[in-house]
Amino acid sequence: MSTTKKIQSALISVFSKDGLEPIVRKLHEQNVTLYSTGGTEEFIKNLGIPVVPVEDITSFPEILGGRVKTLHPKIFGGILNRQDNESDVQQMKEFDIPQIDLVIVDLYPFEKTVASGASEQDIIEKIDIGGISLIRAGAKNFKDTVIVASVNEYSLLLDIITEQDGSTTLENRRLFASKAFHVSSHYDGAIFNYFNTDETIYKESIANGQVLRYGENPHQKGFFFGDFDAMFKKVHGKELSYNNLLDVDAAVNLIAEFKTDGPTFAILKHNNACGLASRKTISEAYLAALACDPTSAFGGVLISNTKIDLETAQEINKLFCEVVIAPSYDDEAITVLQEKKNRIILVQNEVELPSRQVRTCLNGLLIQDRNNITDNKEHLKTVTITEPTAQEIEDLIFASKICKNTKSNTIVFAKNGTLISSGTGQTSRVDALIQAVDKAKAFGFDLNGASMASDAFFPFPDCVELAKKAGITAVIQPGGSIKDELSINYCNENNLAMVFTGTRHFKH
C-alpha cells in the first residue's frame, strides 16, 4: 500500500480560529469532506463552505454543556482504523463509520486561563477532553491519519496540502504526530502542575527552545529552553552564545540585588563580578566599576540598574565587551554602542524570575528554591565590642550582595560603594582571602578601612587575622560555627567590627 495518501475527509474542532480560513478554503477546493462541531462548524458555514455536523455521524447531540461532542466510536473509529487491516476495513463497513483522514484540533487555552487569575471553576472548564483524545488518536494512527494539534502548525499544513495537491507522505504524517504528542504531553504537564502539591514530583515542559551556535566549548552542542524575548529586547549584535547566556543570567541576578539602590553598574566575567560600583551618576558608577579590574573587564558582560546615557555609552565604547544590559538607553547611547558590529545590546524587561533553580546532577536533577534573601540592616547582629560605622554598614551590605552572587568559597572586599577585589571559587576560605588581598594590591587599592564579606562562617580566626593585617576594619559573615567565639575574640582584641547575618550564601 502506498505511503502517500490523499486527504478526502477532515474533522476540524478548534478553539482558536486564527489562520484557519485559508486551510478550510484549500480543503474545500480539493473536494475534501469537512466534519465539524459547535463554533468551528458555524465558522465554516459562515465562509459559505459545506460542513457536516458531527451529530450527523454519531446520531447523538452535544451534551453536558458541550463537554461531550466527539467522544463516540464512529468518530474515533474513523480516525483509528488501520486501512491495511482487513478486519478494520470490514468493521468500518459493518458499522457505517466514515473514514477521517485529517484531524485539526486547537485545545482550550488552559495555561492562559491559569495565568489570567481565573477562578478554579473556569480553569477546570478549560481542561480539554475531546480535543486531547482526538490528538492522541490521530497521532497514534499517523500511518493513515494526519493530525494537526495546534494553530502553530496551520501554516505547515497549508504549505503541504498546497504543494502536494492534498496528499501527505508518511514522513509528513510522522512529523505532525511528533508535534502532536509534544502538544498533548505539554498540556497534560501544565494541568498536573496546576494540581500538584507533592514537592518530590517534578515535571517541566518548555516549548520554545532554540539551538545555539555551540555549548560551553565548540565541540559541544548547545540549546536554550526559555522565553528570552520576554526578558529582553535585543537591540543590536550577534546571536548570544551558551556562555553569553550564563553570564547574562549571572548579571541579571547580581544587579537585582541593587534594584532599589542608586545608580549601580556591574561588570562580570565567567559568571562572577570583576567590577561593581554605586555612584551619583551611572557614568561615574561605570568608570568606578571598570577601575576595579580593567583586565578582566575585557570581553565581559556589562549591566546597569538604570538608564544608560550618552556619556556612559561613550565610555563603554572604549572597551571591548560582549554584552551590555540596561532597563533603558538614551537614543544617542544606542547609536554609539551600535558602532561595534557584534556587541550585543539588551533592554531588560520587568520579568519575575522562576522561584526554583534546576540543574543536572548525576543521572537526574537538583532543584532548590531561589536564594531570595538579601542581607540588609535589619538582619545584622553586631557580635563585637567595636560597632561598625554607618559607612561600614553600607559597605558591608554592599559586599554581602556581591558575595551572595559569587562562586564559593568567596571573600569580597568593598569600600565606599565599590568592589575592591574578591577571591572566587577557592577550595578554602583562606585561599579566597589571600587571592582577594593579592588582587587588590595588584590594582593599587588601599584596603585600609575596607569592609569584608564571607559567604559562610569562619571555623577558625585565621581569616579575620589575615583581614586585619590587610587593613580591613569591618566584617560581615553568617556566623553559626561552634568556634565563632575564636573569631569574635580576635576581633575584640584588635578593634575589628564584625556582624552576623544568620544566613549562609553558598553558591556552587
Side-chain angles (χ1 to χ4, degrees), residues 41-62:
E41 177 192 341
E42 191 68 24
F43 174 83
I44 296 172
K45 282 181 180 178
N46 289 338
L47 296 176
I49 293 173
V51 56
V52 179
V54 163
E55 294 93 323
D56 288 2
I57 301 173
T58 63
S59 299
F60 209 97
E62 291 185 13

Side-chain angles (χ1 to χ4, degrees), residues 32 74 177 210 212 238 291 296 320 335 359 404 426 484:
V32 174
K74 283 198 172 184
Q210 66 184 86
L212 304 174
K238 62 184 179 181
S296 296
F320 168 72
T335 301
R359 66 191 296 180
K404 171 187 169 183
Q426 299 302 302
D484 276 342

Side-chain angles (χ1 to χ4, degrees), residues 181-435:
F181 281 126
H182 163 65
V183 168
S184 65
S185 62
H186 181 84
Y187 195 77
D188 284 342
I191 295 170
F192 169 78
N193 285 329
Y194 173 74
F195 285 101
N196 182 39
T197 57
D198 187 344
E199 292 186 342
T200 66
I201 301 175
Y202 177 77
K203 294 182 187 295
E204 187 67 62
S205 175
I206 303 176
N208 46 345
Q210 66 184 86
V211 179
L212 304 174
R213 295 197 303 273
Y214 52 81
E216 203 162 5
N217 298 291
H219 64 277
Q220 296 169 270
K221 290 183 178 179
F223 308 87
F224 173 69
F225 293 91
D227 192 351
F228 185 84
D229 292 339
M231 285 206 63
F232 302 100
K233 176 184 177 183
K234 185 174 172 226
V235 177
H236 180 74
K238 62 184 179 181
E239 292 302 312
L240 280 88
S241 68
Y242 182 98
N243 292 330
N244 287 155
L245 288 167
L246 285 175
D247 281 330
V248 168
D249 176 70
V252 166
N253 282 287
L254 175 59
I255 208 68
E257 307 285 347
F258 301 88
K259 183 177 179 181
T260 59
D261 293 14
T264 301
F265 207 104
I267 304 173
L268 292 90
K269 195 73 173 287
H270 296 296
N271 308 157
N272 293 314
C274 59
L276 197 151
S278 296
R279 292 292 187 273
K280 291 183 179 180
T281 69
I282 199 62
S283 177
E284 292 173 336
Y286 168 71
L287 291 173
L290 179 63
C292 295
D293 184 352
T295 302
S296 296
F298 182 85
V301 168
L302 282 57
I303 189 165
S304 167
N305 73 343
T306 190
K307 179 187 285 188
I308 290 181
D309 55 22
L310 176 60
E311 181 182 356
T312 309
Q314 289 171 333
E315 292 296 337
I316 292 172
N317 209 34
K318 299 173 184 177
L319 174 73
F320 168 72
C321 59
E322 290 277 348
V323 186
V324 181
I325 310 167
S328 61
Y329 302 78
D330 284 338
D331 291 342
E332 299 89 343
I334 291 285
T335 301
V336 169
L337 293 173
Q338 287 177 330
E339 290 177 6
K340 297 293 191 296
K341 177 182 177 183
N342 290 327
R343 178 184 287 147
I344 299 164
I345 305 172
L346 301 176
V347 177
Q348 184 180 350
N349 300 324
E350 282 281 347
V351 175
E352 185 176 351
L353 293 171
S355 61
R356 289 187 172 183
Q357 296 172 313
V358 182
R359 66 191 296 180
T360 59
C361 180
L362 301 176
N363 61 350
L365 301 173
L366 280 174
I367 301 174
Q368 67 173 352
D369 293 337
R370 179 176 293 279
N371 183 356
N372 285 326
I373 295 179
T374 297
D375 295 331
N376 58 50
K377 292 179 182 179
E378 287 69 34
H379 296 154
L380 305 186
K381 176 185 178 183
T382 302
V383 294
T384 52
I385 297 171
T386 302
E387 295 191 2
T389 66
Q391 181 59 57
E392 285 173 337
I393 289 174
E394 294 299 322
D395 285 338
L396 289 171
I397 293 171
F398 180 90
S400 175
K401 291 177 180 180
I402 301 171
C403 196
K404 171 187 169 183
N405 290 275
T406 305
K407 187 174 176 63
S408 298
N409 286 316
T410 184
I411 291 289
V412 171
F413 295 147
K415 188 176 181 180
N416 298 324
T418 306
L419 169 63
I420 300 300
S421 66
S422 61
T424 64
Q426 299 302 302
T427 52
S428 82
R429 204 158 307 281
V430 171
D431 286 344
L433 198 154
I434 293 171
Q435 182 191 55

